[in-house]
């Protein structure tokens, strides 16, 4: 079954304790992304990756790191979590839209089930 | 920067009614617009994707339209059912932003009353 998986699904931690949220997809997608969802603000992009070893900042990257060493995995790292990072996090993947390249039929993004993080 | 707005924020309807959810965006230079469904405690499920060159897409009781020039999209749900209760999100993939990156609205929370 084609899917995006995230772990853990729920996490309660304390300020300053480093944590990693994993994301994995089995669709051989080049593009992966992380979003956070907060009440009244909708989903906002944290970081994205166009391919292995290629990552870039989204709208709200402060306090987060990512890595893309393998095509299927895109972990989100919080080196020193703070209470304002309490949120619902989603990972997504899709085929890439290549600048100047062939036009893909469509560019549907597939989302993971979400990770609810609470930082005390 | 692209801004996406969804109105209303919440909507309650009796079962069987037809309803329309609205989405507007500020920059018409988009690749596509996607409608998602989000159930409490669960992820996002893609419902319909409309390419910028298309006017509408249909899937079962759902019909999504796109008017790119006016920056508007609607999601029409026919003969609503209690199982349609969820939050509906629209998102646009903008040409000016990084490729593939989506800008989301804050959603419309729909409740269908049996």
């Amino acid at each position: 079954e084609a899917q995006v998986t995230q772990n853990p699904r729920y996490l309660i931690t304390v300020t300053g304790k480093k944590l990693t949220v994993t994301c994995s997809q089995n669709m051989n997608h080049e593009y992966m992304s992380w979003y956070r969802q907060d009440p009244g603000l909708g989903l906002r992009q944290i970081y994205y990756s166009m391919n292995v070893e290629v990552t870039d900042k989204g709208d709200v990257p402060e306090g987060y790191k990512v890595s893309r060493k393998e095509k299927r995995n895109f972990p989100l790292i919080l080196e020193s979590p703070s209470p304002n990072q309490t949120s619902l996090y989603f990972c997504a993947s899709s085929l890439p839209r290549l600048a100047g390249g062939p036009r893909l039929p469509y560019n549907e993004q597939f989302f993971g089930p979400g990770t609810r993080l609470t930082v005390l | 920067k692209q801004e996406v707005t969804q109105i209303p924020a919440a909507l309650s309807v009796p079962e069987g009614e037809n309803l329309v959810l609205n989405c507007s965006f500020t920059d018409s230079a988009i690749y596509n617009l996607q409608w998602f469904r989000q159930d409490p405690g669960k992820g996002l499920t893609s419902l319909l994707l409309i390419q910028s060159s298309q006017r509408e897409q249909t899937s079962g009781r759902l019909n999504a339209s796109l008017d790119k020039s006016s920056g508007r999209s609607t999601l029409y749900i026919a003969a609503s059912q209690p199982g349609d209760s969820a939050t509906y999100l629209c998102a646009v993939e903008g040409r000016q932003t990084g490729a593939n990156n989506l800008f989301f609205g804050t959603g419309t929370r729909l409740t269908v009353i049996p």
Side-chain angles (χ1 to χ4, degrees):
Chain A
E1 179 189 357
Q3 60 182 352
V4 179
T5 57
Q6 295 178 227
N7 283 292
R9 294 289 313 280
Y10 303 90
L11 179 60
I12 300 175
T13 189
V14 296
T15 298
K17 186 177 181 181
K18 181 180 178 180
L19 66 91
T20 299
V21 184
T22 65
C23 173
S24 183
Q25 51 92 6
N26 62 1
M27 294 168 279
N28 203 34
H29 285 163
E30 285 84 356
Y31 176 89
M32 298 185 75
S33 179
W34 277 103
Y35 297 85
R36 61 177 289 174
Q37 185 178 32
D38 302 289
L41 297 177
L43 278 86
R44 294 175 293 167
Q45 190 178 52
I46 304 170
Y47 268 95
Y48 65 96
S49 170
M50 296 297 289
N51 213 326
V52 175
E53 301 292 0
V54 181
T55 63
D56 209 343
K57 297 178 181 179
D59 288 330
V60 289
E62 294 78 19
Y64 304 94
K65 287 185 178 180
V66 293
S67 69
R68 189 87 183 274
K69 293 181 170 51
E70 305 167 280
K71 196 173 187 180
R72 63 182 291 125
N73 296 323
F74 190 44
L76 179 70
I77 303 157
L78 284 72
E79 294 272 0
S80 183
S82 62
N84 64 12
Q85 292 178 299
T86 292
S87 187
L88 180 58
Y89 291 87
F90 288 102
C91 179
S93 75
S94 75
L95 294 171
R97 181 176 300 283
L98 304 175
R103 189 168 184 270
L104 297 170
Y106 61 87
N107 200 39
E108 182 180 1
Q109 292 207 14
F110 296 85
F111 281 77
T115 295
R116 186 167 293 281
L117 172 65
T118 301
V119 183
L120 301 174
Chain B
K1 179 185 171 184
Q2 180 75 264
E3 291 186 7
V4 181
T5 304
Q6 291 186 248
I7 295 173
L11 180 65
S12 291
V13 300
E15 181 177 2
E17 272 205 4
N18 303 326
L19 60 100
V20 174
L21 307 180
N22 298 293
C23 173
S24 62
F25 47 95
T26 55
D27 189 343
S28 62
I30 64 171
Y31 283 115
N32 58 56
L33 183 144
Q34 199 166 352
W35 282 94
F36 293 89
R37 170 185 172 135
Q38 183 177 21
D39 294 284
K42 296 189 178 180
L44 279 67
T45 302
S46 179
L47 298 173
L48 290 164
L49 183 146
I50 311 176
Q51 297 274 41
S52 62
S53 58
Q54 297 175 324
R55 286 281 191 171
E56 65 178 339
Q57 282 286 337
T58 298
S59 175
R61 294 183 293 109
L62 305 179
N63 176 276
S65 68
L66 174 64
D67 184 342
K68 195 175 64 169
S69 61
S70 67
R72 295 180 186 276
S73 175
T74 61
L75 179 66
Y76 174 83
I77 302 177
S80 58
Q81 303 171 358
D84 294 331
S85 298
T87 296
Y88 291 81
L89 301 169
C90 74
V92 296
E93 183 185 352
R95 290 181 179 273
Q96 274 74 19
T97 61
N100 292 67
N101 298 348
L102 297 179
F103 283 89
F104 282 84
T106 53
T108 294
R109 188 172 69 252
L110 172 66
T111 303
V112 180
I113 304 165

